[in-house]
Amino acid sequence: MHCSTCTIVKSELTFNIPKQLKSLITKEFFHDTSSYIWKENILHTSEAASNDLVDFLREMNLTSGVTFAPLHKEWSSLDTFDDYRKTSWLDALIKEKSIKMHFQPIITQTGDIYGYELLARFFDKEEAIIYPDIVFPAAKLRGRTFALDRLCRMQAVKQIKRLYGDQKAFINFIPTAIYQPEYCLRATTDLAHSLNITSDRFVFEVVETEKVDDIEHLKSILRYYKKNGFSYALDDVGSGYNTLDLLGELEPPFIKLDMAFAQGVSHSKDKQLIAKSFLEKAHSYGGLCLAEGIEDIADFHWLKNQGYELFQGYLFGKPLPDPLINKEIDLSQF
């Protein structure tokens, strides 16, 4: 048994055509019926053939009410079709695995490198970097979020061998890209287990790139990770869906205070109240608090004095192609 959505590889599009247009399109447009298959008013076709169809609809001014979608994805207005067509480069990127992982250190109160967050960097055919804020929106538009998220997870898991034996790997994942954890995550967990590394060195980190509306689904993913011995973290705590009540419900072993609340916390009473409340909640069930986005030593000292255990930010190190040789950051330099 498998999750059919997870294994989609064909470049197929569907068009939702108003019923009154179906006969007109069939009569006036189709010149190769093998490329276009009707199921009631839903038209299935290849991505290549869809270009001619859209050009015809526009030329005949028949675009009103027409929507399109990659297979099994949400419908989009035909106005976004050109944006979709421009993202075809993403398919090659995923197929050719044009990705490298960068390492950003996560330190303890004393400067020891506790682990690294593994951050994806993508490259085009000329080896020019394409940043995640370009790649992930393109993946969403093309309906390739699962494939891209899986690629990032698999590549990140492989990097654990490059770390010292006591360091953890924080690996991002997008919960809305995972349909059925037992199928969608199987390859990731199988790879992690095959490396003969203790499972607790992997920390799978929920990112808020996609908003999580289905909390029960998120719980099922976290239960799957926990069942397989992995740890997990909630990112960007303090914003979006990450409320104090939810933290108490999910009890993540790690919570990451959003940089919006970590930066400037040393001189902002409002940010201090938020930082303290999440620290208190984490400690109430035994979780660890990680403050991200640290760029000012004053913020580090304030958070450390409150009891924050872990820290991440440009002050201690930017994402780099390789992990650091040293096992600690010298805090006396700041």
Side-chain angles (χ1 to χ4, degrees):
M1 186 176 181
H2 66 280
C3 173
S4 60
T5 311
C6 299
T7 55
I8 296 291
V9 294
K10 295 187 296 182
S11 180
E12 182 176 330
L13 290 180
T14 54
F15 288 80
N16 192 337
I17 306 291
K19 292 181 179 179
Q20 65 271 21
L21 296 182
K22 179 178 178 179
S23 59
L24 177 61
I25 293 173
T26 303
K27 178 181 177 182
E28 301 293 339
F29 171 69
F30 289 155
H31 46 80
D32 179 9
T33 55
S34 64
S35 298
Y36 307 93
I37 300 173
W38 287 101
K39 294 183 180 179
E40 296 183 351
N41 66 308
I42 303 299
L43 178 60
H44 295 253
T45 185
S46 66
E47 182 170 337
S50 70
N51 292 322
D52 278 346
L53 173 64
V54 172
D55 289 341
F56 169 79
L57 293 172
R58 287 174 172 169
E59 180 66 24
M60 300 295 290
N61 197 26
L62 299 175
T63 59
S64 179
V66 178
T67 55
F68 79 99
L71 200 60
H72 297 308
K73 303 301 177 181
E74 296 180 358
W75 297 106
S76 299
S77 166
L78 209 60
D79 293 339
T80 66
F81 183 80
D82 289 338
D83 292 331
Y84 172 87
R85 185 159 41 186
K86 291 175 183 176
T87 61
S88 59
W89 53 268
L90 183 74
D91 297 331
L93 183 150
I94 293 173
K95 181 179 180 180
E96 297 168 12
K97 300 180 180 179
S98 302
I99 177 178
K100 296 178 182 178
M101 304 309 296
H102 279 41
F103 301 75
Q104 186 173 28
I106 294 170
I107 69 166
T108 66
Q109 293 180 345
T110 58
D112 293 329
I113 298 177
Y114 184 80
Y116 289 85
E117 181 173 0
L118 281 300
L119 299 164
R121 296 294 181 263
F122 306 94
F123 299 86
D124 62 19
K125 293 181 179 180
E126 285 72 41
E127 288 296 309
I129 193 167
I130 312 174
Y131 286 97
D133 61 349
I134 300 295
V135 176
F136 280 94
K140 183 177 181 180
L141 187 61
R142 286 193 73 75
R144 300 301 308 275
T145 301
F146 169 79
L148 181 64
D149 186 64
R150 180 182 182 278
L151 173 63
C152 293
R153 275 185 279 116
M154 297 290 281
Q155 292 296 316
V157 165
K158 294 175 184 177
Q159 308 307 312
I160 191 76
K161 289 286 192 178
R162 301 178 63 188
L163 305 184
Y164 288 110
D166 58 345
Q167 294 174 339
K168 295 183 184 291
F170 285 70
I171 299 171
N172 295 325
F173 75 94
I174 301 174
T176 51
I178 298 169
Y179 307 99
Q180 299 180 52
E182 62 270 32
Y183 304 126
C184 296
L185 297 175
R186 179 178 293 168
T188 307
T189 53
D190 285 351
L191 173 60
H193 288 141
S194 73
L195 296 174
N196 295 318
I197 301 291
T198 56
S199 298
D200 63 356
R201 286 187 60 199
F202 296 93
V203 182
F204 288 96
E205 185 174 324
V206 180
V207 295
E208 205 178 11
T209 305
E210 304 279 344
K211 302 297 182 182
V212 177
D213 296 321
D214 189 347
I215 300 303
E216 291 304 315
H217 179 58
L218 175 58
K219 287 181 182 179
S220 72
I221 297 170
L222 300 183
R223 282 195 298 268
Y224 178 86
Y225 279 132
K226 187 175 181 179
K227 177 182 177 182
N228 282 272
F230 303 110
S231 197
Y232 57 90
L234 290 193
D235 196 12
D236 298 330
V237 166
S239 64
Y241 62 84
N242 286 314
T243 65
L244 287 171
D245 290 340
L246 184 58
L247 286 176
E249 190 175 353
L250 298 178
E251 295 190 348
F254 299 88
I255 68 171
K256 298 184 73 173
L257 181 68
D258 192 321
M259 68 172 62
F261 303 103
Q263 293 178 348
V265 69
S266 59
H267 55 265
S268 169
K269 296 296 184 183
D270 290 339
K271 293 182 180 182
Q272 289 173 8
L273 288 173
I274 293 171
K276 288 179 180 178
S277 66
F278 284 106
L279 181 66
E280 180 180 349
K281 175 59 72 173
H283 285 180
S284 72
Y285 63 81
L288 296 179
C289 272
L290 191 166
E292 58 183 344
I294 303 298
E295 298 181 3
D296 188 328
I297 193 63
D299 293 334
F300 165 72
H301 284 307
W302 187 91
L303 290 160
K304 173 184 173 181
N305 291 336
Q306 298 307 309
Y308 272 73
E309 294 91 355
L310 301 171
F311 308 87
Q312 178 182 359
Y314 283 3
L315 182 66
F316 311 116
K318 295 182 178 181
L320 295 172
D322 301 293
L324 299 174
I325 297 176
N326 294 332
K327 298 181 69 174
E328 63 180 18
I329 302 293
D330 180 9
L331 299 180
S332 67
Q333 65 182 296
F334 304 115

